[in-house]
Amino acid sequence: MAAEHDQHTEPGRVAVLDGPAVRRWAGVGLAALVAAREEIDRLNVYPVPDADTGTNLVRTMQAGVEALAAAGAGPGADSLASVCETLATALLRGAC
């Protein structure tokens, strides 16, 4: 019964946190940042209010999404550990 409940989650909710779910989250997160970039750029963000915080967030997340795409998918590459390691490394290296 519990397994059946897990398979029928509400739309937009993740039933299982796995590599493909993290890949989807990264893509959705990037799209949301792109949509909000100008608004975020207008924020006065500590420590330097230089009007590019949204742009930097987009560039950072773009690096992560691109790294996931370059890593490909499939056995091994889609494990939660592999996807998270690839994403985390790319986000740190691509941080603006």
Side-chain angles (χ1 to χ4, degrees):
M1 186 78 157
E4 181 180 316
H5 175 72
D6 290 345
Q7 293 173 358
H8 301 291
T9 60
E10 296 176 32
R13 295 203 177 232
V14 174
V16 176
L17 183 59
D18 57 8
V22 173
R23 286 177 181 273
R24 289 189 303 274
W25 171 85
V28 169
L30 175 59
L33 286 170
V34 167
R37 183 187 58 80
E38 290 180 7
E39 180 181 354
I40 298 169
D41 278 345
R42 289 190 300 269
L43 296 174
N44 185 11
V45 178
Y46 178 86
V48 181
D50 52 8
D52 67 352
T53 300
T55 299
N56 292 341
L57 286 168
V58 168
R59 288 179 180 161
T60 300
M61 195 63 168
Q62 183 69 46
V65 170
E66 288 174 358
L68 290 174
D78 258 356
S79 72
L80 181 60
S82 178
V83 170
C84 288
E85 181 178 354
T86 299
L87 182 60
T89 300
L91 292 175
L92 287 172
R93 290 184 178 163
C96 296

